Amino acid sequence: MRLNKKSKNSGIGKFFLFLLLGIVVAGGAYVTLVFFENSPPTLQLTGDTEHIGKTADFSIIAGDDNSGLRSVRLILRQDDKEYVLAEESFPRNGYTGRIGPASFSKEVTFDTDGKGISDGPAELVVQAADYSLRGYLSGNTVDMTKNVTVDTVPPKVLVLHSERYIQPGGSGLVIYKVDGEATRHGVQFGGHFHAGHPVEDGREDIFVAYIALPYDATEMGKAMIQAEDAAGNLGSQPFSPVFQKKPIKRDRINVGDGFLSAKVPEFEGYYPEMQGSMKEKYLYTNREVRKANNDKIFQLCQNPVSQRLWKGGFQRMAGASRAGFADYRTYYYQGEEIDKQVHLGMDIASTQHAEVRAANTGEVVFADYLGIYGNMVLLDHGQGVFSLYSHLSSIQVAAGDSVNINDTLGLTGTSGMAGGDHLHFSMLINGIFVTPKEWWDEHWVEVTVSEPLVGSKF
């Protein structure tokens, strides 16, 4: 059978028509995919996105892995007004593929002063667009809106009582009132921040902060009550205690081979990184381990119970005083000076393996071995007041236990950097070592703590 020439040409024509149509469709798909891609940019805004104070810090992160970023904006909207906080446009670097950058980040600091922005509700809006031809050539766009509160008024602070005299290694307290909501408040004193706690007498806006001056302070430094709100506004009020100089006590410690032979093996078991001679290992313990131990103790004191657990003066263990607080010690080996350290507690010697009792009511936050302190117990008495018991031969409590005054914590011993059986007792305020003698004195506690708390009610 012969094919009709017309039919043959018609078949060829249809083939080329379908081929052309396929090319057009494929080309259109390619153009759509390349030039009209529909994946919007990604956005992230970090920082305090709930409150804006006098100043605010934000971090913008944007990205687009397809056509690339065209622009990014951060604006504040309030009462039908817009305030541009940040704006960035990216030049075209081609016509196909990724035309703009794939990622962008920027730190934004915004100062509300003089901008005409009022305290109250507002909106933070982050906008981004890419180089897609969608949206009538304006690209894929994305908006992220977050409701915020503008608050530029800091809390007000009123001093009700402040410590009048204080010396290095001394303690005291400040009582103050906070007018306005504060997320953080306390006293900046002696180079440290001492958090405030409720006075627990029904006055919800009255707080107490226990303060301490480090043993090696040579001046008072800044003494300031501070209250900060959620927007970062800081209210403050100075106070002016009188700095009292304190004479330095010095002591000489002779380190013998017998002591090294008895103590260095104990430390080697806990600190295998020690190297060198017996003397070198001893010095490593007396310097590096001591510093690490004190740093650990400081950290243990940074999250105290907010309630006051203790009452009255702290009890002193019966026995003879062997060393005092803030004694400046010089260490000698074979007649040669090898080290200098400061003793941050009181050493009390009684009978061997004497019972060690809680000086006041509190909670056990540490009960384990700790380097130069040996077997050690640390009690949290609430509101930043802590007591420490070390060189124990045994420990009879565990972290998390609640103890009453005079409850047994363990027995005295020679663990850690101890040459003979005794108790090393320390008091701390928010991690700052202070003299125990003040806290052992019932009259000092009455005058320094109890009376001001009662007097501040009037």
Side-chain angles (χ1 to χ4, degrees), residues 7-23:
S7 298
K8 182 178 180 181
N9 289 339
S10 175
I12 294 174
K14 287 181 179 180
F15 170 77
F16 280 107
L17 179 61
F18 282 117
L19 179 61
L20 179 60
L21 182 61
I23 292 173

Side-chain angles (χ1 to χ4, degrees), residues 1-78:
M1 181 177 177
R2 271 173 130 186
L3 284 176
N4 186 306
K5 185 177 180 181
K6 183 177 179 181
S7 298
K8 182 178 180 181
N9 289 339
S10 175
I12 294 174
K14 287 181 179 180
F15 170 77
F16 280 107
L17 179 61
F18 282 117
L19 179 61
L20 179 60
L21 182 61
I23 292 173
V24 170
V25 171
Y30 174 79
V31 169
T32 300
L33 182 65
V34 173
F35 296 99
F36 291 85
E37 56 87 11
N38 63 354
S39 298
T42 60
L43 280 177
Q44 184 178 354
L45 180 66
T46 60
D48 188 346
T49 55
E50 294 184 2
H51 305 88
I52 293 180
K54 290 185 177 180
T55 61
D57 295 317
F58 305 105
S59 178
I60 307 171
I61 302 174
D64 190 284
D65 288 329
N66 296 297
S67 58
L69 293 167
R70 183 196 296 261
S71 63
V72 177
R73 296 179 78 213
L74 174 63
I75 61 176
L76 180 73
R77 287 178 182 159
Q78 187 182 59

Side-chain angles (χ1 to χ4, degrees), residues 4 8 14 50 73 78 111-112 116 135 149 168 181 189 199 205 222 236 252 259 275 299 323 330 350 384 415 439:
N4 186 306
K8 182 178 180 181
K14 287 181 179 180
E50 294 184 2
R73 296 179 78 213
Q78 187 182 59
D111 188 348
T112 60
T149 300
E181 293 187 7
F189 181 73
V199 294
D205 56 351
K222 181 167 68 173
S236 61
R252 178 185 177 117
F259 178 78
Q275 297 180 354
Q299 291 303 320
T330 302
S350 181
S415 61
W439 294 90

